[in-house]
Each structure stands twice: as structure tokens, then as C-alpha cells.
């Protein structure tokens, strides 16, 4: 039965670009119509491109307090609230774009292929998750031969592709909401400050080469210019190895109350930063200790003061900032491994005769055979602790030395490390006195680190060396690749000890038995630096009796023994590490003043020194002379660095000296911070763009037809009303009761008179497929 036709037939299938026979105004309207249809996609695509750029651009926008707009100040909360609306608009634009291309794909398939009845309303329900979990939707594909998919026709594969297209777009429409919020609402984080120090000339440079700042051989020559470091005053001068005595003593004296925490704080003379010495104890490998160098603390402290007091660039106008060493700047800090063996005079009398120093546990981090670390370990195999420590159980005594102290005549030819032993009295069974004897070995390395100063968070210098247990877990095998970057081994000469233990004097005394060397130096009393630190943990009773506090009351339990060993590891490790960190601490820092240089000279600023003879600028001239505040210096102090004249300064600034440069960040709201949420959101946006791109390529290059009607579900309902009801619908009332009906194919076909009908089967007598450029009723 054919119903009355419309007043005018309609062209259902059109060519993408049909101009022939059209008037100029018709062409214009068609062009505008297609433009506005494409505009539906231009908005979310352009928006997505901007979001992708922001996600990788590391862009700072506004501070925690908000953003000044004209003569007003908009709070951060108001900005974030408005951006939630923007995120919602982007979500709507993307969903509209995906719904549009899904519907167009459906219409193109609909005129060419029978679509399952259960799927017929899907293109109008993009984003409806409940439609996806509806069983009727999935029953629509029951008639497809999934077990022999290779036998499926091209038209059946079109239906499958359309279903996958719909499912993906529906899932994307659900995910684009949170993705848009993640990408559009800025994150509160740290963002790079471009040209943060634009008003000054960097890098900062040290008046010393790298071999002086991070030496691999420690000896008395390192302090030949610091005449006070070898006497008592050296314990008060920050650049001397023993200058950490006060902080370490305070830390050690609190052992009863704090159980010796795993960090000690040292204040920098600039008064603006502190460096922290960190420790980690491991039962197998001993105690690991590290800290930034005092020279680095001085550098970052003075630079921090400069930022706060001078206009060094945009960072000086930033509310909340931090700065750290740039990747191009080298920096090292000491890493010391301390391992102690312990014996108990009450239970191990026989083994006291052969008290060997630990060596197997010391880690060379994969160093090949013959290296300095391996040499030190081989040397330690022959060392034992002297029985002289047991001469008087009532005394707290110790000895300290280096493994090369008996090498004659050239001890410096051998890699060498510190060794230490102590006799520590205790109470046994309430009355009987005994002694813990500890023998300790040490291995020191320089390790690269990246320090940072964040004044808004802490006064400490923070570094990327945060977990010392990583070193404890690393293998010592030469065949194993190291999990962390390890620098050079630090050799220790006997002469260096006189700057660590200030009262240590006299030649070492060595007693040798067979092939082993007994470690024994001149008897050390408690007025020495290390001895004083040991007595910080000493308990003295009214009758004059004294014991070493940790593990001082032994009742046969071996646990106090290991505790004493760990205490000595931490104490001596802290002393050695801090002493190493103060190497080259007196080195001068300079910076070229860009606004005060001439063709004949450079102005050098000693980096914000405010008082004293160095609180002025130096002028370096072409002829190599250097003028100080007190006149012309006859000797250029930079000549030893290869700076004979001004041209050398320009060309050799980074050749043989250490330079320090910084990068800065500011805290606030912005874009481009990586993380799982950002990766998720980017995946959603990129998937959307990829789908749209593939769709456009197919449409533009495969000659796909443009279908004019059925843009709304009402059009489809109207077509159904005008079509003869198929016999399969008999018995169906207010709902479909025949489940097999959901799998029946639905398509559009035309009669010989060009009347279009909705049919349930592609095999309809007298019906044919719709053709391009024909008009239908």
C-alpha cells in the first residue's frame, strides 16, 4: 500500500559536492550549510589542540591568591569555578561532535545495509551507558556468524564496524567529562620561571678547580691556607673539618631521650639555609651517611639572600619560589659507609685475640678489580684490633688511623681509608664490669646530587638523594650494573686526621703479628674531639664509675652488642661525613656583573658578601691585574686557574673551574604537569581526535555519500508510519515480545514509483536500494 506522496520529492542521497545546475545563491547557501556543520567540529578540535599544547608546555597562569584583572583582583576560587563551566562546555562540544559523526555514519550505512532492529536507535543515544548494557542491544547481533567470521559479508562487517564506532564514542562521551576537568582546570604545582635571573650574569663560579672542591685524596695540603683548622679554634670555624663538633655533640648527648635520630642539622653561616646529614642503618652493610657540602650550602644560602634583597630577575617578584642546580652544573656530596664489628669481653675472650676489621661488607658498587676501593678492601683483610684497648676495663679508649699508615716509604701510593676501634666499658650482671670492643672500617665516595632550596617549605637544602637504603641494597659485584650513579672513592691520608681529631698528635705506633697488622695509635684520652663526643654518651655514677651509655647494662642478651655497634657506626660516620662535607668550604664565590663590564675589565661580585674586606666588587683587567677594595693586587689570584688576562676569563670560564647555575620554579596554578590523571585525559582527547581524523579521511577520499533525511529520530518514526507493517510485527503490542525480532535487519528501500519504506528484510519483491541523485517520496 502506498500513501499519498509529499508535495515535492526529496533527493535522499547527495554527492558531497554537487554544484552543477545550482544558482549562485544556492551554492552559497550550500557552502554556508556545510561550513556550519563543520563548525560543530572546529570548536572541539581547536579546543583540543590548545589543551594538548598546554599539557606539554609547562605554563604558569596565576598564584594561589588569584589573578589581577584590570583594576580588580579575581580570587583563585572564582577562577576555578568559572573554569568548571568552561570544562562543561568543552565536554558538551565534544559529545555533540561525536554524536554527529556517529549519526552520519549510521545514515550512510542505513541506506546501504540492513541494520539490526536492536541497534536502530543507537545513533540517537550516544552517551547513554544504559543502552550499552541493555540486552536488546546485544541481541541485535545474534544473527551474525561469529564462529566463522571470515565468511561474513562486507555488509555485515559494516554493521560490526558501526557498532564498534558507537560503543567507542559512547565510552568516550562518558570519559570526556572528567578528562576535560583535568585538562582545563589548572593544577596547583611548581612551574618553571623563564629567565628567572635575567638581571644578573650566571653562572656563579668558584675560585677553585673541581679537584680542590671534591678531592679524591684527603691530606693536610687541603688546609694549608686555613692555618687555624689544625688547632682548637678549628672546631668553631665552619670551613674546618672539625667544625661540626657542636651539633654532633648535641645530637650524641641526647641519646637517652631521642635514641639518636637519623639526621643532624648544620646551620650555614649565611643564616638562610641549613644542611641536613642523613643516615640509614642496615644490619648487613652497616650505616650509610651523606650530606650536602658546606660550600654548596654557602653558595645556595648567599644566592637565596641575593634573590630576597636584590632585583635579580622575575624570581624576585614571585610570591612563592624555589631554585635548584641546573643539569649543566656539576655537584657532589660525600657518601660514607661505616661498618663495625663488635666483641664482648665477657663472652668472647678467645676471639678477642683476633679481632678483625670488617671488609667484606664494604660496597665498591661494581668497581672492577684493581680499583682503589678493591685495594682498600684487600688491605683491610690484614688488619686486626690491638689488645691494648683492653688494658684497663675502667677506661673509655679509642684509636683511629688509616690503612696506609704503615706503608713505607710512600704511603700515598696506596689507596687508603679510615679505620677506628674503641673499648667501651659496661656493667655486666649488675656488678661485674666488662668491655665492648668495636672495630670499624669505612668506605667513602663522592656521589652526584641535585640540591634545591624551597624557602616556602623548609630551610633545609633538599637533594635527590632521599633514600639511603638504595645503596644498602646495591650489589658489590663487578658484573652488576649499579642502580645509582656513584663517583670516585675518597682516599684518606694519615695527615688528614689531625684536622678531624684536633688534639691527635704524634706518630702512629703499629704492632704486627705475622701477616696481620694490629691497629694501635698513641693512647687517646677523653679531652680529644672524638673522645669528647664519645663521652657525650657516657654515664658517670657518684662513686666515679663510668660506663658507655648505649648497651651499658649487659645481661647476656646479644641485642645490646649490635646496638652499640650501630651507635658507633652512626657517631663516627657522622663525624667523618661532616668533615668531608667541609672540604673547600672557604672557597670564594664570584659572579660577573653584566651591567658593569667594559671592554677593558670585568666587575666580579663576591656573591652578596655584605661585610668585611670581601664586601666589595673586584675588577679584573685585560693585563691580568685584579683590583680589590684595597688597591691593585700584584698577583692575580686566578692565574692558577689559567686566567692570565680578561680574554682568558671570557673563554675559559668553564674550562677548568667549577661553575654553578640555577633554574627556578614558582608555585601556583598552571598546566603541563605530568602524571597519571594527565595521561588519562590526554588519551581521551587524542582518541577523540584520532576517530574524527579517520572519519574525515574516509568521507573525503572514499566517495561516501551524504544522506539528507533521518537526522532526528522523529524522521525515522514518520517513515515507519508511512511504511507497510511487516508480518514479523504481528503479535507485538506495547513492547517487543519476540526476542528474535531484535536481530532482524532493518533498512530503507524504494518501490518502482520511488516511494521509500522501512523494511525488515533486504529481499523485498518489487523493492530496490536508494540511488544517488534520485528524488524519492
Amino acid at each position: 500500500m502506498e500513501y499519498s506522496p509529499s508535495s515535492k520529492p526529496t533527493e535522499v542521497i547527495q554527492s558531497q559536492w554537487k554544484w552543477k545546475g545550482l544558482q549562485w545563491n544556492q551554492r552559497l547557501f550550500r557552502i554556508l550549510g556545510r561550513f556550519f556543520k563543520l563548525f560543530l567540529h572546529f570548536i572541539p578540535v581547536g579546543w583540543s589542540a590548545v589543551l594538548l599544547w598546554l599539557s606539554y608546555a609547562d605554563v604558569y597562569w596565576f598564584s594561589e591568591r588569584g589573578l589581577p584583572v584590570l583594576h580588580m583582583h579575581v580570587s583563585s576560587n572564582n577562577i576555578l569555578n568559572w573554569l568548571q563551566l568552561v570544562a562543561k562546555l568543552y565536554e558538551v562540544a565534544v559529545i555533540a561532535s561525536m554524536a554527529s559523526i556517529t549519526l552520519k555514519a549510521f545514515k550512510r550505512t542505513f541506506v546501504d545495509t540492513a541494520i539490526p532492529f536492536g541497534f536502530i536507535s543507537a545513533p540517537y543515544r550516544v552517551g547513554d551507558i544504559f543502552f550499552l548494557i541493555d540486552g536488546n542491544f546485544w541481541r541485535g547481533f545474534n544473527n551474525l556468524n561469529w564462529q566463522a567470521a571470515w565468511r561474513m559479508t562486507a555488509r555485515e562487517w559494516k554493521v560490526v564496524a558501526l557498532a564498534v564506532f558507537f560503543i567507542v564514542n559512547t565510552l568516550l562521551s562518558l570519559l570526556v567529562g572528567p578528562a576535560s576537568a583535568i585538562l582545563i582546570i589548572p593544577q596547583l604545582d611548581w612551574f618553571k620561571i623563564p629567565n628567572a635571573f635575567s638581571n644578573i650574569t650566571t653562572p656563579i663560579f668558584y675560585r677553585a678547580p673541581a679537584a680542590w672542591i671534591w678531592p679524591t685524596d684527603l691530606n693536610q695540603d687541603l688546609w694549608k691556607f686555613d692555618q687555624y683548622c689544625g688547632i682548637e679554634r678549628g672546631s668553631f670555624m665552619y670551613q674546618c673539618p672539625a667544625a661540626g663538633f657542636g651539633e654532633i655533640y648535641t645530637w650524641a648527648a641526647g641519646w637517652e631521650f631521642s635514641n639518636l635520630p637519623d639526621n643532624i642539622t648544620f646551620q650555614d653561616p649565611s643564616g638562610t639555609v641549613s644542611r641536613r646529614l642523613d643516615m640509614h642503618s642496615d644490619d648487613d652493610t652497616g650505616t650509610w651517611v651523606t650530606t650536602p657540602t658546606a660550600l654548596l650550602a654557602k653558595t645556595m644560602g648567599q644566592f637565596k639572600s641575593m634573590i630576597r634583597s636584590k632585583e635579580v630577575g622575575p624570581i624576585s617578584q614571585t610570591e612563592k619560589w624555589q631554585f635548584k642546580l641546573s643539569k649543566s652544573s656539576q655537584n657532589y656530596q660525600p657518601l660514607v659507609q661505616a661498618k663495625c664489628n663488635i666483641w664482648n669481653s665477657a663472652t668472647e675472650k678467645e676471639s678477642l685475640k683476633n679481632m678483625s676489621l670488617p671488609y667484606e661488607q664494604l660496597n665498591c658498587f661494581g668497581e672492577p678489580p684493581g680499583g682503589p676501593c678493591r685495594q682498600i678492601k684487600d688491605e683491610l683483610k690484614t688488619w686486626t684490633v690491638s689488645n691494648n684497648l683492653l688494658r684497663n676495663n675502667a677506661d673509655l679508649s679509642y684509636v683511629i688511623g688509616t690503612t696506609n699508615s704503615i706503608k713505607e716509604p710512600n704511603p700515598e701510593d696506596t689507596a687508603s681509608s679510615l679505620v677506628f676501634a674503641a673499648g667501651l666499658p659496661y656493667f655486666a650482671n649488675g656488678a661485674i664490669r666488662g668491655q665492648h670492643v668495636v672495630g670499624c672500617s669505612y668506605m667513602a665516595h663522592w656521589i652526584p646530587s641535585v640540591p634545591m632550596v624551597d624557602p616556602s617549605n623548609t630551610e633545609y637544602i633538599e637533594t635527590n638523594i632521599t633514600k639511603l637504603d638504595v645503596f644498602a641494597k646495591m650489589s658489590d659485584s663487578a658484573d652488576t650494573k649499579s642502580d645509582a650513579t656513584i663517583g670516585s672513592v675518597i682516599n684518606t691520608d694519615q695527615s688528614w686526621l689531625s684536622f678531624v681529631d684536633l688534639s691527635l698528635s704524634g706518630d702512629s705506633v703499629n704492632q704486627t703479628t705475622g701477616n696481620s697488622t694490629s691497629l694501635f695509635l698513641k693512647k687517646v684520652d677523653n679531652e680529644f674531639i672524638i673522645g669528647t663526643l664519645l663521652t657525650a654518651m657516657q654515664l658517670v655514677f657518684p662513686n666515679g664509675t663510668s660506663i658507655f651509655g648505649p648497651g651499658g647494662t649487659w645481661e647476656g642478651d646479644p641485642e645490646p652488642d649490635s646496638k652499640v655497634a650501630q651507635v658507633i657506626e652512626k657517631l663516627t660516620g657522622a663525624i667523618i661525613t661532616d668533615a668531608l662535607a667541609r672540604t673547600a668550604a672557604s672557597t670564594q664565590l664570584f659572579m660577573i656583573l653584566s651591567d658593569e663590564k667594559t671592554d677593558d675589565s670585568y666587575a666580579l661580585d663576591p656573591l652578596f658578601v655584605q661585610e668585611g674586606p670581601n664586601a666589595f666588587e673586584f675588577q679584573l683587567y685585560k693585563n691580568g691585574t685584579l683590583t680589590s677594595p684595597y688597591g691593585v693586587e700584584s698577583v692575580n689570584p686566578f692565574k692558577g686557574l689559567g686566567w692570565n688576562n680578561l680574554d682568558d676569563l671570557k673563554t675559559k670560564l668553564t674550562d677548568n673551574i667549577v661553575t654553578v647555575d640555577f633554574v627556578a620554579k614558582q608555585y601556583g596554578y598552571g598546566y603541563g604537569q605530568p602524571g597519571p590523571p594527565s595521561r588519562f585525559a590526554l588519551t581521551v582527547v587524542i582518541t577523540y581526535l584520532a576517530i574524527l581524523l579517520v572519519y574525515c579521511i574516509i568521507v573525503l577520499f572514499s566517495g561516501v555519500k551524504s544522506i539528507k533525511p533521518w537526522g532526528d529520530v522523529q524522521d525515522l518514526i514518520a517513515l515507519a508510519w508511512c511504511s507497510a507493517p511487516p508480518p514479523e510485527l504481528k503479535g507485538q503490542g506495547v513492547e517487543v515480545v519476540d526476542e528474535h525480532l531484535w536481530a532482524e535487519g532493518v533498512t530503507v528501500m524504494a518501490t518502482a514509483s520511488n516511494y521509500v519504506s522501512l523494511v525488515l528484510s533486504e529481499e523485498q519483491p518489487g523493492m530496490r536500494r536508494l540511488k544517488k541523485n534520485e528524488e524519492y517520496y
Side-chain angles (χ1 to χ4, degrees):
M1 173 180 171
E2 294 182 355
Y3 293 88
S4 298
S6 60
S7 59
K8 184 179 180 181
T10 302
E11 190 177 21
V12 176
I13 304 175
Q14 298 176 332
S15 297
Q16 285 290 345
W17 305 101
K18 181 182 177 182
W19 307 109
K20 190 175 181 180
L22 296 178
Q23 299 295 327
W24 70 269
N25 57 332
Q26 292 176 314
R27 294 185 181 187
L28 177 61
F29 281 119
R30 180 164 291 189
I31 291 174
L32 291 176
R34 294 201 178 277
F35 173 79
F36 283 116
K37 288 180 181 179
L38 291 175
F39 189 71
L40 177 65
H41 304 293
F42 287 161
I43 294 176
V45 168
W47 214 331
S48 299
V50 172
L51 293 179
L52 289 177
W53 173 76
L54 288 175
S55 298
Y56 292 99
D58 190 25
V59 176
Y60 172 84
W61 189 3
F62 57 92
S63 70
E64 288 180 284
R65 296 194 302 112
L67 186 68
V69 178
L70 299 178
H71 299 291
M72 301 181 298
H73 182 84
V74 182
S75 69
S76 58
N77 286 336
N78 286 336
I79 297 174
L80 297 177
N81 290 337
W82 278 107
L83 289 176
Q84 292 183 41
L85 175 60
V86 175
K88 189 63 180 179
L89 293 176
Y90 172 73
E91 176 190 355
V92 171
V94 172
I95 293 176
S97 174
M98 291 189 295
S100 172
I101 61 175
T102 304
L103 182 57
K104 290 178 180 179
F106 160 74
K107 292 194 296 180
R108 291 188 177 98
T109 307
F110 191 45
V111 298
D112 190 48
T113 304
I115 294 176
F117 181 61
F119 185 62
I120 201 71
S121 64
Y124 305 97
R125 302 178 67 176
V126 174
D128 186 354
I129 188 64
F130 295 103
F131 183 73
L132 273 186
I133 62 178
D134 189 349
N136 295 331
F137 167 75
W138 297 103
R139 291 189 191 99
F141 304 96
N142 288 343
N143 287 349
L144 297 178
N145 189 6
W146 297 107
Q147 294 181 348
W150 62 90
R151 296 180 182 175
M152 291 169 57
T153 66
R155 290 186 173 183
E156 288 176 323
W157 278 115
K158 279 186 178 181
V159 174
V160 173
L162 181 62
V164 172
F165 192 57
F166 165 74
I167 293 171
V168 171
N169 282 356
T170 296
L171 293 177
L172 278 178
S173 68
L174 297 174
L175 298 175
V176 73
S180 64
I182 292 171
L183 294 178
I184 292 178
I185 298 176
Q187 302 174 18
L188 187 61
D189 211 322
W190 290 98
F191 298 89
K192 184 178 179 181
I193 306 176
N195 301 314
F197 315 111
S198 57
N199 292 345
I200 60 176
T201 300
T202 56
I204 297 166
F205 57 91
Y206 294 138
R207 189 172 169 174
W212 182 269
I213 296 174
W214 305 294
T216 55
D217 295 292
L218 298 178
N219 52 55
Q220 59 186 358
D221 292 339
L222 296 173
W223 281 271
K224 60 185 178 182
F225 300 115
D226 291 298
Q227 55 182 324
Y228 298 112
C229 285
I231 60 177
E232 183 179 357
R233 192 183 300 182
S235 63
F236 303 100
M237 302 180 70
Y238 78 95
Q239 72 270 26
C240 297
F245 168 77
E247 288 89 347
I248 298 176
Y249 185 90
T250 301
W251 169 81
W255 68 271
E256 291 182 278
F257 316 106
S258 60
N259 197 26
L260 295 183
D262 289 338
N263 54 76
I264 307 173
T265 300
F266 299 93
Q267 182 69 43
D268 178 70
S270 69
T272 61
V273 297
S274 299
R275 61 182 178 89
R276 189 166 60 188
L277 182 144
D278 294 308
M279 314 174 199
H280 169 76
S281 296
D282 181 88
D283 292 338
D284 297 324
T285 61
T287 297
W288 300 82
V289 193
T290 189
T291 183
T293 63
L295 176 59
L296 174 74
K298 180 175 72 171
T299 304
M300 302 192 83
Q302 291 179 217
F303 196 66
K304 177 181 173 183
S305 298
M306 192 173 191
I307 293 172
R308 286 179 168 175
S309 304
K310 293 185 177 181
E311 288 293 329
V312 301
I315 190 173
S316 296
Q317 302 298 325
T318 303
E319 294 179 14
K320 200 172 182 179
W321 49 265
Q322 63 177 216
F323 67 93
K324 69 176 182 178
L325 220 60
S326 67
K327 293 182 179 179
S328 61
S329 302
Q330 61 176 328
N331 179 70
Y332 296 88
Q333 65 185 60
L335 174 69
V336 173
Q337 180 187 6
K339 178 61 180 175
C340 295
N341 288 339
I342 187 166
W343 299 267
N344 194 318
S345 64
T347 59
E348 301 173 290
K349 293 182 180 179
E350 293 300 322
S351 64
L352 289 176
K353 298 178 181 179
N354 186 26
M355 296 182 288
S356 60
L357 294 175
Y359 62 89
E360 291 182 348
Q361 301 90 336
L362 300 181
N363 200 330
C364 292
F365 302 107
E367 181 188 82
C373 181
R374 304 291 179 189
Q375 292 180 33
I376 291 171
K377 291 181 69 171
D378 290 340
E379 180 69 18
L380 286 170
K381 294 178 182 179
T382 64
W383 281 70
T384 59
V385 179
S386 171
N387 287 329
N388 285 284
L389 289 170
L390 298 174
R391 288 182 301 177
N392 187 346
N393 280 347
D395 291 337
L396 188 156
S397 56
Y398 75 93
V399 291
I400 186 170
T402 57
T403 55
N404 71 345
S405 58
I406 64 165
K407 294 294 181 181
E408 298 293 348
N410 296 312
E412 66 276 2
D413 292 342
T414 304
S416 178
S417 181
L418 287 172
V419 286
F420 176 86
L424 310 171
Y426 66 86
F427 277 131
N429 300 323
I432 304 173
R433 293 176 58 79
Q435 236 180 353
H436 286 121
V437 179
V438 292
C440 307
S441 304
Y442 307 88
M443 190 67 71
H445 291 82
W446 291 113
I447 58 172
S449 67
V450 181
M452 179 185 71
V453 168
D454 180 3
S456 64
N457 181 44
T458 177
E459 64 174 3
Y460 298 117
I461 294 176
E462 300 172 299
T463 73
N464 60 327
I465 311 298
T466 57
K467 296 182 179 180
L468 291 176
D469 59 326
V470 171
F471 301 102
K473 297 174 183 176
M474 290 171 63
S475 173
D476 182 44
S477 172
D479 299 326
T480 303
K481 186 177 180 180
S482 175
D483 295 331
T485 304
I486 306 296
S488 305
V489 174
I490 304 174
N491 297 316
T492 309
D493 183 71
Q494 181 79 5
S495 62
W496 182 71
L497 291 175
S498 61
F499 296 92
V500 179
D501 204 5
L502 297 183
S503 297
L504 182 63
S505 59
D507 297 330
S508 60
V509 179
N510 299 283
Q511 299 175 349
T512 305
T513 305
N515 293 326
S516 63
T517 301
S518 294
L519 169 63
F520 179 67
L521 287 154
K522 196 169 183 178
K523 186 175 183 300
V524 180
D525 298 321
N526 289 344
E527 72 267 21
F528 293 80
I529 289 290
I530 296 178
T532 303
L533 293 174
L534 286 172
T535 58
M537 291 181 277
Q538 192 175 32
L539 295 178
V540 181
F541 299 97
N543 61 1
T545 304
S546 63
I547 61 172
F548 187 67
T553 54
W554 186 77
E555 301 293 342
D557 185 358
E559 183 177 350
D561 292 351
S562 60
K563 181 177 181 180
V564 171
Q566 188 180 103
V567 166
I568 296 301
E569 289 172 357
K570 295 175 75 171
L571 176 64
T572 56
I575 295 170
I576 295 169
T577 306
D578 181 61
L580 291 173
R582 295 179 186 274
T583 303
S586 60
T587 301
Q588 285 183 297
L589 321 174
F590 284 96
M591 182 174 63
I592 299 174
L593 297 181
S594 58
D595 56 346
E596 296 187 28
K597 64 184 178 182
T598 66
D599 293 336
D600 296 324
S601 66
Y602 265 117
L604 305 180
D605 183 7
L607 198 61
F608 208 60
V609 176
Q610 301 186 70
E611 300 292 340
N614 290 324
F616 300 91
E617 296 165 8
F618 293 79
Q619 206 79 16
L620 181 63
Y621 289 88
K622 270 188 175 181
N623 60 7
T625 60
L626 185 78
T627 60
S628 69
Y630 305 103
V632 178
E633 295 187 7
S634 57
V635 179
N636 177 6
F638 297 100
K639 192 170 184 178
L641 303 176
W643 296 5
N644 298 315
N645 51 52
L646 189 62
D647 293 332
D648 286 340
L649 173 60
K650 295 178 181 178
T651 59
K652 298 181 179 180
L653 180 61
T654 58
D655 284 354
N656 58 352
I657 64 166
V658 177
T659 60
V660 179
D661 208 348
F662 299 106
V663 292
K665 291 186 176 183
Q666 57 190 333
Y667 193 70
Y669 290 94
Y671 301 96
Q673 297 302 306
S678 297
R679 287 192 289 270
F680 155 76
L682 289 173
T683 301
V684 172
V685 173
I686 292 173
T687 303
Y688 158 68
L689 293 175
I691 291 174
L692 191 60
L693 177 63
V694 171
Y695 173 81
C696 292
I697 291 174
I698 294 174
V699 170
L700 292 175
F701 297 101
S702 64
V704 174
K705 298 161 287 191
S706 175
I707 312 301
K708 185 177 179 181
W710 310 310
D712 295 314
V713 71
Q714 296 94 321
D715 294 337
L716 206 59
I717 294 173
L719 178 62
W721 283 342
C722 296
S723 303
E728 290 88 348
L729 287 181
K730 289 182 179 180
Q732 312 301 317
V734 294
E735 62 179 359
V736 178
V737 295
D738 185 2
E739 292 186 357
H740 298 287
L741 186 61
W742 298 107
E744 292 293 331
V746 180
T747 187
V748 288
M749 301 186 78
T751 65
S753 303
N754 282 4
Y755 287 96
V756 178
S757 293
L758 199 62
V759 298
L760 265 182
S761 174
E762 295 186 77
E763 302 297 332
Q764 296 287 340
M767 305 287 284
R768 61 184 176 84
R769 287 284 174 191
L770 277 63
K771 296 182 180 180
K772 184 168 62 174
N773 299 330
E774 288 191 9
E775 295 180 338
Y776 296 91
Y777 297 101

